[in-house]
Amino acid sequence: MLRVAIFVLALALPAWIGLSLLVVLGRARYDRGQEVRVGDLRSHEAARLIQRGRGRPRTDWGRWRRVAALARLARAHHPAASQLLHPALADPDPRIASAAIRSLGDLGDGWAIDILISALRDGSAPRSRIAAQLERLAPVPGPRFVPLLRHPHPAVRFWAATLLGPYPELGRESLIALTWDSDPNVRAAAVETLGSRSGNAVGAATLARLDDPAWFVRVHAARAAGHVVGAEAAPSITPLLADRQWWVRTAAKDALRGMGSDAVPALLAVLGHPDAFARNGAAEVLQDVGFVDTLAFEQPSSPLLERIYEAGGERLREAAQSRAARHASRRTERAA
Amino acid sequence: MTGDILGIVVLVCLAYLLLTTFVYVALVVVGAIESTVRRQESRSEDYATLASSRFTIPVSVIAAAYDEEPVIVSTVETLLAFDYPEHEVIVVNDGSSDGTLERLREVYELEPYEVFVRRVFESADVRAIYRSAIHPNLIVVDKANGGKADAWNAGLNVARYRYVCGVDADTLFDPKALLKGMRLVVQDPGRVIGVTSHLNTAREPERAIAAPPGRRPIDFKPLIAFQHLDFVRAFFNNRIAWSRLRFMLCSPGAFQIWRRDVLEEVGGYSRSFTCEDIEVTFRIHERFLREGRDYEILCLTDNVATTEGPDTIRKLVSQRERWQRVINETVWHYRRMWFNPRYKAVGMLGAPFYLITEVLAPVFELFAIAALGLSLALGLFDPLTFAVMLVAIAFTNAALTASAVLFDDLQSRTYRKRDLARLLLLAPLDLVLYRPIIFWARVKGSWRFLCGDKAWHKFERNTREAPV
């Protein structure tokens, strides 16, 4: 037993010493490295990085060395970067593809945008990652998204519609047409993007999708109609307070809340709705836009306020009365 | 006869020790590979784009608070300061008996509002919901006391977003914690259903987190420094390896990201266990593996938070005996998964690992101490052999600890060089100064588990020297 113990100790002690030295010396080296400024790529270093960037490593470690090499070449704007990054986008390892996407985004040149858009079209790399980089490069790539709205693949139409969000002047007619697309994801994206636009045709398109069979299209339609049409859309949005999907009801509340006091007439009409969700939702929005507080402070015994309390329940009443009391005490303090 | 029995007991215990050491060394190797990959991945991640992109998935952060008056504001400040495109912070006051709610009300100008929420998860009665007049993304739920699981369930009902991040109200977070946690979710939200990451411990987290990176002090009060080493070891030698081997069985309550619909499917956090975090992780694995679904629950290497570690032996024992109890409860409850190939790595590696290295550890340790003590007293065991064995075990542990410290430092570069050196020098003393306390806590926890005790003993907050 003593021999076993000595054998274990003979392994463990050097291991502890070795690892401890590695920690302390490694850290010291890192701290020194931080102080040295990284200069331009020297030719022999570039050659080594190009070789690594071209490789097809099998181990995880090798793959990350390749990622690091690609990123370093791209940061240095080395001419070989474009040749290496394009094929890397189609690499079966998603980590290599993601690193290539990021490097292209960092470069942001015209050719980098072309490569990213072509990858978005082909689906050779994760589209959400490409989209994040393309959005970062706004406004340059904007006009190149418009032709993609007519692409046969729904995922491409979806991303094109989504990416056009920050470009209010582009693709309006095509986006309106896409609100009738056969793919619900594309309809949702088109409606969401139209939410940041204006005009009668846009408003009509968003209102038309309030009764879409796909619930997530209704979610975006409610929000978009609230933005584009404003308070005039309130009577069309209030029926969504009784929607069977919680997300749609929430979106409807958000849209109505965003209209402020202009939504009040439409909300008051919902207080007698047979659906409890709709009544609760209307009372909640009336509270959030400040209507309940105004009534509770100025006309606490108003029959209308009582109707809202009936629709919203006891807790709505308690919360409103507590706020009104605080408001009154603050006003008294200020007056004093 | 006595000598034979003692000899057999000592041999069995030694065999157990060798087995567990072998398992831990194997996990260190796997953990080293995983740490390297995750570190590289994290370095090549485009955090700037992620932090500003509208395609980054919004998250509801839920903090359950019970009697957290001294720390609640510091915690909420770090949660509100997350560098993330869209997140809401839901603080659930779980019927605190101190001034937690009043403190929040005062600092964040809370006003009561009625919010009609989905009542999908069971929870005790919600008394009121407050919104902050100065932070539109802060919601405070005041409810009757029902325990942490109950509080998180109440928070889940209010949560608006598809991903939720459960946090402890006594933990302070790195501004990039959410971004770091969500980076892999964003890449594959269909598969990545849960994420946790590396946490640290400190006597006063607010002091530790206030220091700039690279100069963060480690509290060298012995109990805290040993807990620090314990946390580093637990994450870098174990959890990271479990994550790679696909049996990440414990997303700690201090920082756990889940897809909300997954929690909805499994019925939220269970209120019938002493603690909820490990149980919910087991339950989700069980459900997904039983149904043959493709999923991942990950543990990342990024240091995302610093949690308060108890600064007295009494408080530490109270905390660790609870941890032991909940491990026993959970492993026993999911005993159908032990060595069951239907549950893949979780059934064949994860659950047995917990059984052997956590549940049975106090039993073997107890037998080993008794048998060695008796053998030494009866002169059946050579004291020199015993001493050499002890030193060998101490340095084996120290080597495992040094490996964890190495990967922690490679990942974070957070601590000062001299602090790292001191930590490494402390490592061999862990066996004689820290382990006995943990051993006692584990024995106590196992005993209480056998007695059916499910009480949740919250440890008192550490006293602060001066505000930071």
Side-chain angles (χ1 to χ4, degrees):
Chain A
M1 203 166 286
L2 182 63
R3 277 187 200 158
V4 175
I6 292 171
F7 176 72
V8 174
L9 183 59
L11 287 177
L13 187 60
W16 172 67
I17 295 171
L19 285 164
S20 301
L21 285 174
L22 209 58
V23 173
V24 178
L25 297 177
R27 180 56 187 275
R29 196 178 155 207
Y30 170 83
D31 288 350
R32 265 204 316 277
Q34 288 293 95
E35 288 156 21
V36 179
R37 294 194 71 173
V38 183
D40 288 339
L41 270 186
R42 286 185 292 261
S43 60
H44 69 278
E45 194 187 353
R48 189 167 46 87
L49 292 173
I50 291 167
Q51 199 178 0
R52 254 186 224 166
R54 278 204 186 112
R56 294 258 165 210
R58 287 186 190 161
T59 61
D60 265 340
W61 177 239
R63 283 190 198 105
W64 284 112
R65 275 157 61 99
R66 187 174 168 209
V67 167
L70 290 174
R72 180 87 177 88
L73 286 167
R75 272 202 305 273
H77 283 69
H78 193 277
S82 61
Q83 295 158 15
L84 291 172
L85 287 171
H86 202 170
L89 277 178
D91 198 287
D93 185 339
R95 289 170 295 188
I96 303 285
S98 293
I101 292 167
R102 191 214 161 158
S103 295
L104 286 164
D106 282 345
L107 286 169
D109 300 348
W111 64 266
I113 291 173
D114 285 340
I115 294 175
L116 286 171
I117 288 182
S118 108
L120 185 78
R121 218 171 21 228
D122 310 339
S124 54
R127 287 192 170 103
S128 60
R129 291 238 133 188
I130 299 174
Q133 292 298 334
L134 285 170
E135 187 164 78
R136 192 173 73 136
L137 298 172
V140 181
R144 300 184 215 191
F145 299 142
V146 180
L148 300 181
L149 292 172
R150 291 184 296 276
H151 195 275
H153 199 294
V156 179
R157 295 200 298 278
F158 166 82
W159 280 112
T162 303
L163 285 165
L164 277 170
Y167 306 91
E169 70 290 356
L170 295 175
R172 200 180 77 130
E173 301 311 320
S174 304
L175 283 167
I176 290 173
L178 284 185
T179 61
W180 298 94
D181 196 277
S182 57
D183 187 290
N185 289 306
V186 177
R187 293 202 298 276
V191 168
E192 188 186 9
T193 299
L194 286 174
S196 58
R197 317 264 165 125
S198 57
N200 291 340
V202 172
T206 58
L207 287 171
R209 295 271 54 89
L210 286 174
D211 53 0
D212 195 281
W215 66 265
F216 49 92
V217 181
R218 296 200 295 279
V219 164
H220 288 297
R223 295 215 168 100
H227 283 136
V228 180
V229 186
E232 282 173 36
S236 310
I237 294 173
T238 47
L240 296 185
L241 291 173
D243 197 279
R244 60 190 176 279
Q245 277 285 341
W246 181 87
W247 297 101
V248 180
R249 296 200 295 271
T250 301
K253 282 195 269 184
D254 287 346
L256 291 162
R257 206 177 279 128
M259 294 170 196
S261 54
D262 293 343
V264 170
L267 287 164
L268 292 177
V270 186
L271 291 178
H273 198 285
D275 186 289
F277 281 128
R279 290 197 304 273
N280 289 170
E284 187 183 335
V285 180
L286 285 167
Q287 165 199 248
D288 294 348
V289 297
F291 185 71
V292 171
D293 284 17
T294 310
L295 276 183
F297 187 66
E298 289 169 3
Q299 302 168 48
S301 51
S302 123
L304 179 58
L305 186 61
E306 203 49 46
R307 274 187 69 207
I308 298 172
Y309 288 157
E310 267 170 37
E314 267 316 293
R315 291 234 307 255
L316 185 97
R317 179 198 298 272
E318 284 164 19
Q321 286 172 347
S322 150
R323 287 195 305 273
R326 283 176 63 154
H327 183 58
S329 75
R330 262 187 235 141
R331 186 176 270 197
T332 318
E333 273 169 31
R334 244 179 268 139
Chain B
M1 180 65 181
T2 315
D4 289 346
I5 294 171
L6 283 177
I8 292 168
V9 173
V10 170
L11 277 178
V12 170
C13 292
L14 269 179
Y16 171 80
L17 182 70
L18 284 175
L19 173 74
T20 49
T21 308
F22 175 76
V23 170
Y24 281 128
V25 171
L27 284 176
V28 165
V29 175
V30 177
I33 297 168
E34 180 71 356
S35 294
T36 309
V37 170
R38 294 285 176 218
R39 190 172 66 249
Q40 298 287 356
E41 199 179 70
S42 178
R43 277 186 196 157
S44 76
E45 187 56 75
D46 186 1
Y47 286 112
T49 303
L50 212 55
S52 58
S53 170
R54 62 193 165 111
F55 306 131
T56 304
I57 306 169
V59 180
S60 300
V61 181
I62 304 171
Y66 174 69
D67 286 356
E68 304 285 7
E69 188 185 352
V71 289
I72 191 68
V73 173
S74 310
T75 301
V76 174
E77 285 299 308
T78 63
L79 297 177
L80 289 169
F82 275 154
D83 180 13
Y84 201 76
E86 193 177 349
H87 78 289
E88 63 176 359
V89 177
I90 301 164
V91 180
V92 185
N93 176 44
D94 188 29
S96 296
S97 56
D98 67 354
T100 303
L101 184 63
E102 284 65 37
R103 190 91 185 91
L104 287 168
R105 202 181 272 162
E106 183 185 291
V107 175
Y108 298 108
E109 296 181 22
L110 299 182
E111 294 203 315
Y113 273 90
E114 173 62 327
V115 181
F116 292 94
V117 297
R118 286 167 292 179
R119 290 197 172 80
V120 179
F121 302 95
E122 270 185 50
S123 80
D125 189 32
V126 171
R127 295 175 192 143
I129 297 178
Y130 298 88
R131 287 199 201 135
S132 164
I134 45 179
H135 292 286
N137 62 336
L138 173 63
I139 295 169
V140 175
V141 179
D142 181 33
K143 64 177 275 293
N145 181 259
K148 199 154 120 188
D150 195 77
W152 269 342
N153 282 345
L156 284 171
N157 281 330
V158 179
R160 282 169 62 98
Y161 299 130
R162 196 182 167 205
Y163 276 84
V164 290
C165 176
V167 298
D168 277 351
D170 61 351
T171 303
L172 301 187
F173 295 85
D174 183 280
K176 291 219 176 318
L178 205 50
L179 211 53
K180 287 174 177 172
M182 285 296 287
R183 71 185 168 87
L184 293 179
V185 174
V186 172
Q187 284 184 35
D188 196 355
R191 274 187 81 229
V192 183
I193 58 167
V195 174
T196 186
S197 201
H198 171 219
L199 308 160
N200 257 328
T201 185
R203 189 173 165 276
E204 293 179 53
E206 57 274 30
R207 204 169 284 277
I209 214 137
R215 288 184 191 175
R216 193 170 291 179
I218 291 171
D219 197 327
F220 275 94
K221 286 199 170 47
L223 207 55
I224 301 291
F226 282 123
Q227 283 179 73
H228 187 98
L229 287 176
D230 201 6
F231 267 58
V232 170
R233 229 174 7 230
F235 276 93
F236 283 90
N237 288 358
N238 291 341
R239 285 183 194 172
I240 305 289
W242 304 347
S243 180
R244 184 163 186 96
L245 296 169
R246 306 205 59 182
F247 62 87
M248 231 309 288
L249 279 167
C250 181
S251 284
F255 185 81
Q256 44 172 305
I257 295 173
W258 293 110
R259 214 171 68 199
R260 192 184 182 282
D261 61 297
V262 170
L263 289 176
E264 212 170 304
E265 244 183 78
V266 299
Y269 293 97
S270 170
R271 298 180 294 175
S272 43
F273 287 78
T274 305
C275 203
E276 62 308 302
D277 46 6
I278 175 170
E279 192 279 328
V280 82
T281 321
F282 263 79
R283 189 147 37 103
I284 290 169
H285 275 295
E286 199 278 331
R287 171 84 172 235
F288 273 66
L289 288 166
R290 183 160 38 85
E291 294 176 357
R293 288 152 75 177
D294 187 22
Y295 73 102
E296 265 191 305
I297 299 174
L298 302 171
C299 180
L300 304 181
T301 49
D302 306 276
N303 183 358
V304 292
T306 304
T307 188
E308 187 173 321
D311 63 352
T312 65
I313 292 177
R314 189 177 55 80
K315 289 194 275 185
L316 178 65
V317 169
S318 160
Q319 183 196 55
R320 295 304 170 94
E321 78 82 9
R322 177 165 51 81
W323 290 7
Q324 181 67 30
R325 219 164 359 118
V326 73
I327 288 172
N328 291 359
E329 283 171 18
T330 309
V331 174
W332 178 247
H333 184 82
Y334 290 96
R335 56 191 177 278
R336 64 182 170 282
M337 294 167 83
W338 302 352
F339 304 104
N340 187 342
R342 183 182 185 185
Y343 295 105
K344 296 183 178 169
V346 174
M348 299 307 286
L349 296 171
F353 173 84
Y354 259 99
L355 177 69
I356 293 165
T357 64
E358 299 285 345
V359 178
L360 295 179
V363 180
F364 278 105
E365 284 165 359
L366 206 59
F367 273 116
I369 289 169
L372 280 170
L374 269 175
S375 303
L376 283 170
L378 296 174
L380 301 169
F381 205 75
D382 173 24
L384 177 69
T385 309
F386 176 73
V388 176
M389 258 176 62
L390 208 65
V391 175
I393 296 170
F395 278 102
T396 308
N397 276 342
L400 294 175
T401 306
S403 143
V405 172
L406 171 69
F407 285 100
D408 182 15
D409 188 53
L410 280 172
Q411 172 68 45
S412 64
R413 305 295 190 191
T414 305
Y415 301 103
R416 296 178 294 200
K417 273 196 292 278
R418 65 165 184 270
D419 282 356
L420 285 171
R422 285 165 78 186
L423 271 184
L424 292 162
L425 289 172
L426 266 185
L429 301 175
D430 176 275
L431 184 76
V432 283
L433 296 181
Y434 181 68
R435 287 291 133 194
I437 304 169
I438 300 303
F439 160 69
W440 170 237
R442 286 169 125 183
V443 170
K444 210 171 153 186
S446 300
W447 176 249
R448 287 206 167 154
F449 160 69
L450 293 172
C451 297
D453 181 0
K454 291 197 175 178
W456 200 89
H457 309 285
K458 184 183 171 71
F459 76 83
E460 292 161 36
R461 292 273 144 251
N462 300 332
T463 46
R464 264 58 177 169
E465 281 157 14
V468 179

